[in-house]
Amino acid sequence: MSKEKLLSEAKTHVEKTCSHIEKSSQETIMAIKRSEEIYLSLPEFDRPVEKQVQNYHKKRLAELSHLEKSPYFVRCDVVFDEESKPHTFYFGKFNFNQDSIYSWVTPASAIRFENPGKVSYFLPSGKQQNALLLRKDQYMIVEGRIKFLSSESTEYPRKLIFQEHFSVLKSSFALPEIVAQMEKLQDQVIRAHHVGSFLISGPAGSGKTTLALHRVAYMNQSPDLAEKYPSQSIVVFVQDNGTKEYFSQLLPGLGINDIFITTFSEWAMSILKLKSGYAPRFIFHEESEENLDLFEFSKLQALKKHRLKNDSGFSLLKKIYAPFFSDKQKEIFQKQMESDTLDRIDLTILLKSFYQKNRKLEIVSEYLIENKFGKIETKKAAKKMSYNLAVIDEFQNYLPEQLRLIKKCLEEKNQSVIYVGDMTQKVQLGTISGWDAIEENIHDKRQVVLHKVYRNTKNILQFIASLGYDIEIPTNIKDGSPVSEKIFVSPQDEIDYIQKTLAQKTFQSVGVLAKNSFYVDKFRKRLTDKKIHCMTINEAQGVEFDIVFLVGIHPKLFSLNFPQDTPLDLIQEKKKINRDLLYVALTRAISELHISGKENLRNVIQLSAIDKHI
C-alpha cells in the first residue's frame, strides 16, 4: 500500500473516531443532566446511589475529552493462536470500545513495543497469550490531527508515512509524545511487581518523572492492581508549589484524579498544625553564604543527635540547637525566631519529635454534623497518615530523617514507594547520600537508570559536556541554537539584553535563573511578563523552560571562603553541591541557553575548582 493511501485511510479513521467520541460526549452530558434531575426527585436515602452514577458519568466525560483530541497512539493488527482472522486494536489513554480503542494499561498493550512477528503477553490470570503481530502503526495525534505517522509490518520494514513540523515545547502533557520516547524496557518497568521500593534515576531531562507517573497510572488503573491502589491512597511528594501545580495538570491526562500531591513542608506543617512561615533555607542577607552554610551544618549535627524533648516549636528547637551553635549562630537563630520562619531542618526535628511522642503521624480535621436537635455542630477527628503508595520526586533533596518519616506512613504489607531523582544531583546540605541511611535495599531488578537526555537540544548538551560533565547525547535530537555567553558590567545590562533578545522571539516560557535570591529580585522587578519566571537555581529544579537566561556569573560565584577550622566533609559536600547546582541550571533550557555576567563560565569553574569534582 502506498504512503498516500496509508495516510488517507489513517486520516479518515481519525476523523470518524473523533466524531464518534464527540457524539458519545454529548450523550454523556445528557446522561449527567438526566441524573441531576432524577437526584432532586429522590428521597434522601436513595440519593447516594444516584450521586455515584453522576460521578461515573463525569469521570467518563473527562476521559472522553482527552480522547477527542488524541484518540490513540498505536494501531496493532494481530492474529491470535488457533485463529485465522486478524483483529485490529488501537491503544490510547482510555478505552473507547466502539472503535476498538483500549487503554494503554491493558495487558495486550504491551505488544505495541514489539516488532512485527510472533509476540506474547500475560493476561491478569497469569496465562500467556500468543499472537502474530502483522502490522504496527505509530501515531501522534494532536487536536484531532495527525502530526506523525509511521508504519511497519511483516511485509515491509518501518517507514515514515507522515511528519508535520511541530514544536517540541510541551504546553500540556502529551502522552503520544512521551510514548514515542519510551522503550520496551521502560514499559516493563511500568508493569513491574508492585510490592516494595522502586527507583527511577537519570539525568535532568531523561524522562524519569514521566516514567514514574506512568507507573503510578498503571498501578492505579490496571485490572489486577486498581483495588490495591485507589487514588485516595496515593501520595506524591514534590519540591515546591510550582511543581505541585505542574503535576496537578499532568496526572488527569493519565486518568488519575484525587491523588494527594504535597510538599514535605506542607505535609509536616499540617500534621504539626503550625502557622509559621517556611523557607527551605533561612536567608539573612547581612550574613555571608559561608556563615549560613555553617549555620545549617550545625543544625544538621543537632538533627542527627537530638533526643526527645518535652517542648514544642521554637522553644524546643532552641534547646536542641544550643549545644551545637556558636555565639554567632545563636544570633542568627534569634533573627530567625523573630521572623517566625522555619526551615527544612527545623521542620524535620519538630516532626521527628512529634512521632517520638505519639508513635504515629496523624492529622486532625474538622467536619460538620447535625445533632439530635437539628443544629449543625463542628466535630474534630484524628486521621492516621497511611498510604498504599508514595512517590518521592527529586528524592536526593530530602534529608534521610524526612524519608524515614514518610516511610513510616506506608501500608505495612506492601511498603510501595517510588523514588525519582538522581543521587548525584544534590543541591542542599545534609541530604541523602546512600540508601543505607534509610535502611533501604533496592534490588537491581527494581532500579531503572536512564542515560539519554531528551529535553535539551544537541548544542546545549554538547556545551554541558564541554564543561566536563558526563552526559550522553542522543543522535536523533535537533541541533538548536548555539549557547550564547555574554560579558556585562551590571545587572541592568543583563536585563536590557534579555528584553532585547525576547523582543525578537516567540516563546512559551522563559526562566531567568541566578544562584542567589537577592540577585534574582533585581530581575523580578523589571521582567513582569507572566511567561518570564525569575527564580533561584534551587527553585528551578524539576521545571523546564523554552529559553533560559543564567545570569549573575562572576569570578567568585562558586568560590568557598570558609574559616580554616571548617570540617572537611562540609567543604567537600559544598563543592559537590555547587557542581550539581550548575548542572541543574544548564539543563533547564529546552531550546535556547543564554549565559551572562562579569566572567566567562568556564573560567569561573576553573577558578572555583569545582571542575575537579565533575
Side-chain angles (χ1 to χ4, degrees), residues 21 61-71 93-94 173 249-255:
I21 295 169
L61 185 61
E63 293 175 353
L64 291 170
S65 70
H66 287 289
L67 290 178
E68 277 187 51
K69 300 175 182 178
S70 181
K93 295 182 184 179
F94 306 102
F173 187 70
Q249 295 170 354
L250 299 189
L251 289 169
L254 284 170

Side-chain angles (χ1 to χ4, degrees), residues 501-516:
T501 302
L502 294 181
Q504 304 169 20
K505 298 182 181 295
T506 301
F507 54 87
Q508 294 291 326
S509 62
V510 173
V512 178
L513 312 180
K515 186 171 182 287
N516 301 313

Side-chain angles (χ1 to χ4, degrees), residues 3-182:
K3 288 186 177 182
E4 290 75 15
K5 190 172 182 180
L6 281 169
L7 179 60
S8 176
E9 288 187 355
K11 286 183 175 179
T12 299
H13 188 269
V14 169
E15 184 178 345
K16 181 185 72 172
T17 302
C18 288
S19 176
H20 291 166
I21 295 169
E22 183 179 1
K23 181 181 178 182
S24 183
S25 295
Q26 294 301 320
E27 292 172 351
T28 305
I29 290 172
M30 293 303 297
I32 293 171
K33 289 182 178 178
R34 286 195 299 272
S35 179
E36 289 174 343
E37 291 171 359
I38 293 171
Y39 179 83
L40 294 174
S41 65
L42 291 173
E44 194 72 31
F45 56 84
D46 283 338
R47 287 186 174 184
V49 175
E50 194 62 35
K51 179 60 79 173
Q52 289 181 358
V53 173
Q54 288 180 26
N55 291 339
Y56 168 79
H57 285 312
K58 288 177 181 179
K59 181 176 183 292
R60 183 55 178 161
L61 185 61
E63 293 175 353
L64 291 170
S65 70
H66 287 289
L67 290 178
E68 277 187 51
K69 300 175 182 178
S70 181
Y72 48 81
F73 44 83
V74 175
R75 165 184 169 160
C76 293
D77 293 358
V78 298
V79 176
F80 293 105
D81 280 5
E82 301 178 356
E83 290 187 13
S84 57
K85 182 181 178 181
H87 299 267
T88 297
F89 300 110
Y90 295 87
F91 297 107
K93 295 182 184 179
F94 306 102
N95 290 316
F96 189 70
N97 296 341
Q98 177 181 334
D99 285 297
S100 299
I101 299 173
Y102 300 94
S103 167
W104 69 281
V105 300
T106 58
S109 73
I111 65 176
R112 74 189 192 271
F113 290 100
E114 302 287 357
N115 296 319
K118 291 183 178 180
V119 296
S120 64
Y121 60 91
F122 289 95
L123 299 171
S125 64
K127 178 185 176 182
Q128 181 171 303
Q129 179 69 59
N130 299 312
L132 178 66
L133 177 58
L134 300 174
R135 170 180 162 187
K136 180 173 73 173
D137 295 352
Q138 293 179 283
Y139 295 79
M140 178 184 291
I141 303 171
V142 180
E143 299 297 333
R145 293 177 56 194
I146 296 175
K147 299 288 185 178
F148 171 89
L149 172 61
S150 69
S151 182
E152 57 187 310
S153 78
T154 52
E155 297 181 356
Y156 54 83
R158 186 176 188 272
K159 56 185 178 182
L160 178 65
I161 305 302
F162 178 74
Q163 180 173 9
E164 180 178 289
H165 175 73
F166 59 89
S167 171
V168 298
L169 303 179
K170 291 182 288 185
S171 57
S172 62
F173 187 70
L175 183 60
E177 176 187 344
I178 302 302
V179 168
Q181 295 175 356
M182 290 175 63

Side-chain angles (χ1 to χ4, degrees), residues 352-369:
K352 184 178 175 183
S353 293
F354 181 95
Y355 180 81
Q356 289 172 334
K357 290 177 185 177
N358 300 282
R359 306 313 303 170
K360 60 183 177 180
L361 297 176
E362 61 183 16
I363 186 170
V364 177
S365 56
E366 294 183 349
Y367 62 96
L368 300 177
I369 188 172

Side-chain angles (χ1 to χ4, degrees), residues 267-276 354 362-365 380:
W267 182 72
M269 292 184 82
S270 66
I271 294 171
L272 297 169
K273 300 190 288 292
L274 293 173
K275 302 296 183 182
S276 299
F354 181 95
E362 61 183 16
I363 186 170
V364 177
S365 56
K380 292 183 179 182

Side-chain angles (χ1 to χ4, degrees), residues 325-349:
F325 276 169
S326 65
D327 290 341
K328 177 66 175 177
Q329 290 166 353
K330 289 177 181 177
E331 291 178 10
I332 297 174
F333 188 66
Q334 181 61 39
K335 291 167 184 166
Q336 183 187 338
M337 287 193 295
E338 291 169 1
S339 70
D340 193 25
T341 302
L342 295 165
D343 67 19
R344 62 195 175 97
I345 306 169
D346 304 331
L347 259 186
T348 306
I349 289 176

